[in-house]
Amino acid sequence: MHTKTLHEVKELINKKEISCVELTKSTFDRISKVDDKIGAYLQLDEEGALKKAREVDEKIQRGEETSFLAGIPMAIKDNICVEGLKTTCASKILENFVAPYDAHVTKKLKENDAVIIGKLNMDEFAMGSSSENSAFKKVKNPFDLERVPGGSSGGSAAAVAAGEAYYTLGSDTGGSIRQPASLCGVVGLKPTYGRISRYGLVAFASSLDQIGPFTKDVEDCAHVLNVIAGHDSMDSTSAKVEVEDYTKYLNQDIKGMKIGIPKEYFAEGLNPEIRGIIENGIEVLKKLGAEIKEISLPMSKYALAVYYILASSEASSNLARFDGIRYGFRAEDFEDVVDLYVKSRSQGFGDEVKRRIMLGTYALSAGYYDAYYKKALKVRTLIIQEYKKAFEEVDVILTPTSPTVAFKLGEKSNNPLEMYLSDIYTVPINIAGVPAISIPAGFVDGLPVGMQLIGDYFKEGTLLKVSHAFERETEFTKVKPSI
Ligand code: GLN
């Protein structure tokens, strides 16, 4: 069962060849077989999952209509709240924090009878590109257990790749859905900023964060997006834009569509084998009738610098709330209230989180605000304008997702700057707020390589249309790790 997609198991449920309880049990079996090696899960809720599965089986027996996601096991990144379960953000500071409410996406999933089986490992507070920054344990790549799954949603990507869930949710602030999707050979979508409510997502950088799905193929991605997208009055940045039925973009012809190739994304630093795979991908789309056009996005070279100023600044502000008083961890010995804050934060946060808080506090301080934060905001505007202009000419922009395949555990963890470079192709998209998807496009020495497609604002449908055409032609999504 674990190699099947969401839509394939849905069909088995519809044909009554398997019950939701059986499916849920088989997923827990799979987890107990492989998760010692993978480390994708921080918490499991077998009792809650089986209860839900039983309810759905009863609904089906009564002949009631059920949602597409009903009865199918899925899991959620541990920075998204599920009432009654812990939300740790893989941080010691939230180790014992039990969410008192559901995130908007969780509520939607529950309304659609999704079977939530657990919470997924990640880089602490979603900061990182390898999932090695988890305070609890490291996640391994199912294609090679000596390599990282990418990050920060490494648990979400690895769980889908290893068949430990039929789909998962992650969050993407600068690439944390697309980069691990690329490294684990699964589909990952970062929707337009505002497409999905951030209510109940623990904030990292509020102007960049967006929740999105990890799935085994493009069809599944459309089904999950159908459920989690939409306006929410609890998130003032969530957009009042109608939710389409995204499945209508599947099985469409892409003849005549214009695909832009930004030359800056194929410059130095890109692994030549990955370049070859992406160039093959371009040929596939050409063969399907798409028109390929070289474009230029010259501001891209500033994107990484802008991202690390803005994301760290917002993080330093957002993470001020973790003070040892209101949530989770509190230091044991302290002299006064200031000492309590300092000790709780010093002991509770990991190194990368502290690095970001210091960087952000510095960029926001009186003497440096204009030179760093304000300057970064101005360059952000230029990047936004550049993307808007590009989409006057093309329907979709195609790039690599990651400059490298999955790297070895420990290879970059002592060099933060090198780790930051993992996001060079993904951060501009969050800065602009446009949607982008990573889809499997090939392999280098048995390791997956993802191709990134970027769309205009709220054009998730267009991304799914091109991705699905590519997937039908290439079938890379069918390749599974041997674990
Ligand atoms: N790797 C990037 C960072 O460390 C992006 C993280 C993310 O998208 N959450 O900030």
Side-chain angles (χ1 to χ4, degrees), residues 180-236:
S182 174
L183 271 45
C184 289
V186 297
V187 174
L189 172 72
K190 183 209 87 77
T192 309
Y193 184 76
R195 175 71 296 183
I196 295 176
S197 168
R198 292 181 294 110
Y199 178 69
L201 165 70
V202 178
F204 163 9
S206 314
S207 78
L208 303 160
D209 297 340
Q210 189 59 197
I211 295 174
F214 285 89
T215 54
K216 291 181 182 173
D217 68 7
V218 176
E219 181 172 341
D220 286 356
C221 181
H223 285 292
V224 180
L225 188 61
N226 271 353
V227 167
I228 60 175
H231 178 254
D232 170 26
S233 58
M234 299 298 278
D235 172 4
S236 60

Side-chain angles (χ1 to χ4, degrees), residues 170 235 251 341 387 398 432:
D235 172 4
N251 298 306
Y341 294 155
Y387 271 90
L398 186 156

Side-chain angles (χ1 to χ4, degrees), residues 236-287:
S236 60
T237 61
S238 101
K240 277 195 181 135
V241 174
E242 202 196 323
V243 180
E244 307 171 75
D245 176 2
Y246 291 103
T247 59
K248 74 174 187 228
Y249 292 96
L250 303 172
N251 298 306
Q252 298 292 315
D253 192 355
I254 62 162
K255 222 170 259 146
M257 286 187 74
K258 291 196 188 67
I259 298 183
I261 313 294
K263 57 172 189 264
E264 292 80 4
Y265 281 69
F266 291 82
E268 227 178 300
L270 175 60
N271 166 317
E273 286 161 312
I274 294 185
R275 175 196 299 271
I277 285 176
I278 304 303
E279 283 170 354
N280 277 342
I282 297 172
E283 287 308 310
V284 169
L285 294 173
K286 219 188 215 168
K287 215 179 86 198

Side-chain angles (χ1 to χ4, degrees), residues 203-395:
F204 163 9
S206 314
S207 78
L208 303 160
D209 297 340
Q210 189 59 197
I211 295 174
F214 285 89
T215 54
K216 291 181 182 173
D217 68 7
V218 176
E219 181 172 341
D220 286 356
C221 181
H223 285 292
V224 180
L225 188 61
N226 271 353
V227 167
I228 60 175
H231 178 254
D232 170 26
S233 58
M234 299 298 278
D235 172 4
S236 60
T237 61
S238 101
K240 277 195 181 135
V241 174
E242 202 196 323
V243 180
E244 307 171 75
D245 176 2
Y246 291 103
T247 59
K248 74 174 187 228
Y249 292 96
L250 303 172
N251 298 306
Q252 298 292 315
D253 192 355
I254 62 162
K255 222 170 259 146
M257 286 187 74
K258 291 196 188 67
I259 298 183
I261 313 294
K263 57 172 189 264
E264 292 80 4
Y265 281 69
F266 291 82
E268 227 178 300
L270 175 60
N271 166 317
E273 286 161 312
I274 294 185
R275 175 196 299 271
I277 285 176
I278 304 303
E279 283 170 354
N280 277 342
I282 297 172
E283 287 308 310
V284 169
L285 294 173
K286 219 188 215 168
K287 215 179 86 198
L288 292 171
E291 234 176 81
I292 308 295
K293 205 171 162 182
E294 189 182 281
I295 62 167
S296 175
L297 296 167
M299 296 307 284
S300 302
K301 60 174 174 291
Y302 302 116
L304 209 57
V306 167
Y307 172 81
Y308 277 95
I309 299 277
L310 294 181
S312 305
S313 297
E314 293 183 30
S316 73
S317 165
N318 276 325
L319 270 56
R321 75 193 70 184
F322 302 106
D323 53 7
I325 293 186
R326 284 171 289 185
Y327 312 89
F329 176 80
R330 177 177 304 170
E332 274 175 14
D333 301 309
F334 50 86
E335 274 154 28
D336 52 29
V337 70
V338 173
D339 196 41
L340 162 64
Y341 294 155
V342 171
K343 286 205 173 117
S344 301
R345 287 167 67 81
S346 302
Q347 294 166 23
F349 287 136
D351 287 349
E352 184 60 28
V353 176
K354 288 181 201 162
R355 196 174 290 130
R356 307 280 178 114
I357 292 173
M358 287 192 282
L359 192 64
T361 307
Y362 181 81
L364 289 176
S365 60
Y368 297 101
Y369 182 92
D370 285 346
Y372 294 111
Y373 184 72
K374 207 163 153 197
K375 181 70 129 224
L377 279 183
K378 287 180 178 169
V379 182
R380 180 177 199 173
T381 302
L382 296 176
I383 293 173
I384 293 172
Q385 284 168 355
E386 197 169 272
Y387 271 90
K388 283 192 174 155
K389 222 172 125 233
F391 285 115
E392 287 170 10
E393 286 179 55
V394 297
D395 299 303

Side-chain angles (χ1 to χ4, degrees), residues 77 126-129 151-152 171-176 204 307-308 356 423:
K77 187 176 179 179
M127 295 170 187
S129 306
S152 65
S171 66
D172 190 315
T173 305
S176 280
F204 163 9
Y307 172 81
Y308 277 95
R356 307 280 178 114
D423 304 311

